[in-house]
């Protein structure tokens, strides 16, 4: 794994500013710096129209950065934008201290926070994928392969050896995480068979997801005022819902979340993608909450969860003049809730809205498939939607299915004979009666 800098570092932040960049970008990166355990002793802003190939910023700003590092005795430079390997090495040569770009800093924070076996595997995989772009030939005592007597180098250069070993480790981690993915998928199928719909908390990091999770489920998930305080997903039963439901707390998001992390945390993010309802927790006291909301929902779309019904939960109203409540006249119509997870304001109304949405958006009924509908039958089993199956005398199947209405509607939009069966039976107003 990437070697992390010692805690208590003195950091100079280099913040390139492009047209359209708002002040929230610097606020977020400063908070990331604090979460990593570093103290921001100076900030160098650099207005740019486009990145410079050598340093990302101009040479004049690099001179200013060098002066700040020396004046404040900093031992690390943190850059608020992703750097290329060449840009990172060039800045390090000038400043003579460690340089971490945005992606590496977030990976460092994740490495500090990971506690479970799964979380550590995910972080290490993300770090190694990022490291593959940073490997450079730093062993001057080893030469490239050469011809001629006395000039032949080793059979494999150190750089090639490292790349091969990293690639082997990545394959090993992928295999282990694939096993985790299968175990989680089995758990989700069991929860569906247990007739327990899942509600997933998503949101910007430090929006109060874990506090809301603890209050609703009486759990004790780490809820410190810090970005990425918790990484590992937690699932608990959600009291107060007729028939029962499960609540899943997921990893927090930030703007421009590194793709290495999205890929590595696939198994974790599936908790959101496979949920029946999303609660998007938003910090109502954050002056940039609209931008944060857009960032989170962009990631939700990227992982394929944008078709799942959602209630936006505006948290921390105790820090604003917003009253607790719902925006809809009826709980089943509400798509926004205003609460304080810390004080408990509005949580009873939120639970009413959750129950109303869950009750109205699942389909539980018997359907009949003839022998030609084998593909649809396989698809329903793949979705974990089949509770019971009975063979019919005509060679078909009677299936008792349980799945979200939006998935049934999606199957109906795909066209063909399968879509017709879905429309006529799954979405029909009169269910099939099977004795």
């Amino acid at each position: 794994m990437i070697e992390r800098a010692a805690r208590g570092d003195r950091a100079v932040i280099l913040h390139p500013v492009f047209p359209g960049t708002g002040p929230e970008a610097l606020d977020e990166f400063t908070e990331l710096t604090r979460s990593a355990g570093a103290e921001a002793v100076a900030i160098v802003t650099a207005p740019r129209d486009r990145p410079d190939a050598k340093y990302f910023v101009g040479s004049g700003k690099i001179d200013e950065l060098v002066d700040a590092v020396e004046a404040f005795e900093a031992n690390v430079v943190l850059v608020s934008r992703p750097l290329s390997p060449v840009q990172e090495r060039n800045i390090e040569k000038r400043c003579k201290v460690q340089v971490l770009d945005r992606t590496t800093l977030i990976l460092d924070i994740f490495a500090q926070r990971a506690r479970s076996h799964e979380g550590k595997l995910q972080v290490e995989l993300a770090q190694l994928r990022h490291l593959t772009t940073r490997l450079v030939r730093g062993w001057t005592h080893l030469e490239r392969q050469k011809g001629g007597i006395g000039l032949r180098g080793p059979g494999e250069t150190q750089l090639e050896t490292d790349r091969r070993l990293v690639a082997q480790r990545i394959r090993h981690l992928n295999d282990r995480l694939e096993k985790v993915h299968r175990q989680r998928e089995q758990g989700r199928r069991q929860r569906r068979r247990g007739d327990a719909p899942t509600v997933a908390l998503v949101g910007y990091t430090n929006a109060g997801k874990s506090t809301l999770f603890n209050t609703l489920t009486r759990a004790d998930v780490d809820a410190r005022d810090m970005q990425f305080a918790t990484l590992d997903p937690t699932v608990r039963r959600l009291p107060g819902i007729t028939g029962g439901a499960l609540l899943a707390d997921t990893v927090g998001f930030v703007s421009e979340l590194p793709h290495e992390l999205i890929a590595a945390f696939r198994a974790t993010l599936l908790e959101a993608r496979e949920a029946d309802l999303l609660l998007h927790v938003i910090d109502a006291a954050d002056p940039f909450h609209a931008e944060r909301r857009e960032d989170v929902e962009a990631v939700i779309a990227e992982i394929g969860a944008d078709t799942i019904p959602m209630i936006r939960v505006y948290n921390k109203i105790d820090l604003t003049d917003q009253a607790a409540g719902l925006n809809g006249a009826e709980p089943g119509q509400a798509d926004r809730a205003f609460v304080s997870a810390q004080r408990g304001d509005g949580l009873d109304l939120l639970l009413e809205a959750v129950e109303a949405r869950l009750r109205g958006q699942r389909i539980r009924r018997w359907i009949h498939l003839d022998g030609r509908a084998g593909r649809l039958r396989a698809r329903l089993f793949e979705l974990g939607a089949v509770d019971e199956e009975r063979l019919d005398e005509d060679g078909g199947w009677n299936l008792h299915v349980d799945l979200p209405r939006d998935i049934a509607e999606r199957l109906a939009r795909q066209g063909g004979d399968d879509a017709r069966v879905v429309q006529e039976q799954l979405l029909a107003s009169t269910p099939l009666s099977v004795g």
Side-chain angles (χ1 to χ4, degrees), residues 98-271:
Q98 185 182 23
V99 174
L100 303 180
D101 69 353
R102 176 188 177 83
T103 300
T104 308
L105 181 64
I106 293 176
L107 289 171
D108 177 87
I109 296 171
F110 270 57
Q112 295 179 50
R113 303 285 190 272
R115 292 293 180 267
S116 71
H117 174 66
E118 176 191 359
K120 291 176 181 178
L121 289 178
Q122 290 168 327
V123 171
E124 184 179 356
L125 177 60
Q127 288 185 313
L128 288 175
R129 283 175 170 162
H130 184 61
L131 180 64
T132 56
T133 67
R134 259 70 182 158
L135 286 176
V136 294
R137 183 172 176 270
W139 291 265
T140 55
H141 63 286
L142 295 178
E143 297 295 333
R144 294 183 183 275
Q145 298 179 49
K146 298 179 181 179
I149 297 174
L151 295 178
R152 294 184 180 90
E156 185 176 42
T157 67
Q158 186 66 50
L159 177 57
E160 290 167 343
T161 302
D162 286 349
R163 283 176 174 162
R164 177 171 52 80
L165 293 175
V166 168
Q168 289 175 352
R169 182 62 179 168
I170 287 175
R171 286 195 296 271
H172 177 65
L173 291 172
N174 275 323
D175 289 342
R176 294 172 69 179
L177 283 172
E178 186 60 35
K179 182 179 180 181
V180 171
H181 169 64
R182 290 195 298 269
Q183 292 171 340
R184 285 197 173 277
E185 182 62 29
Q186 184 178 15
R188 279 189 288 271
R189 288 173 183 263
Q190 289 175 345
R191 292 201 294 267
R192 289 197 181 280
R193 286 196 294 270
D195 208 24
T198 300
V199 180
L201 294 175
V202 298
Y204 214 78
T205 182
N206 213 28
K209 290 188 294 75
S210 295
T211 301
L212 180 61
F213 182 86
N214 288 339
T215 304
L216 291 176
T217 65
R218 302 179 183 89
D220 56 354
V221 172
D222 190 358
R224 286 174 290 172
D225 181 18
M226 183 178 293
Q227 291 182 322
F228 305 121
T230 55
L231 291 183
D232 303 312
T234 308
V235 181
R236 295 285 188 276
R237 187 158 294 278
L238 181 60
I241 302 296
T242 304
L246 298 174
L247 185 65
D249 188 17
T250 63
V251 64
F253 300 152
V254 294
S255 62
E256 302 175 27
L257 191 66
H259 288 281
E260 294 94 337
L261 282 177
I262 293 177
F265 278 73
R266 180 183 56 140
T268 302
L269 294 174
L270 277 175
E271 293 291 350

Side-chain angles (χ1 to χ4, degrees), residues 22-28 204 206-207 282-295 314-316 319-320:
E24 71 277 5
L26 180 57
D27 291 344
E28 177 191 87
Y204 214 78
N206 213 28
I282 300 166
D283 183 354
D286 184 350
F288 307 110
H289 66 76
E291 292 82 358
R292 312 289 198 218
R293 184 194 71 220
E294 292 175 359
D295 289 335
Y314 287 84
N315 188 29
K316 304 184 185 181
L319 303 179
T320 72

Side-chain angles (χ1 to χ4, degrees), residues 212 215-216 239-241 324-326 331 337-340 344-355:
L212 180 61
T215 304
L216 291 176
I241 302 296
L326 306 174
F338 302 91
V339 306
S340 169
D345 300 345
L347 296 187
D348 53 343
L349 294 174
L350 173 61
L351 287 175
E352 287 183 24
V354 169
E355 180 167 7

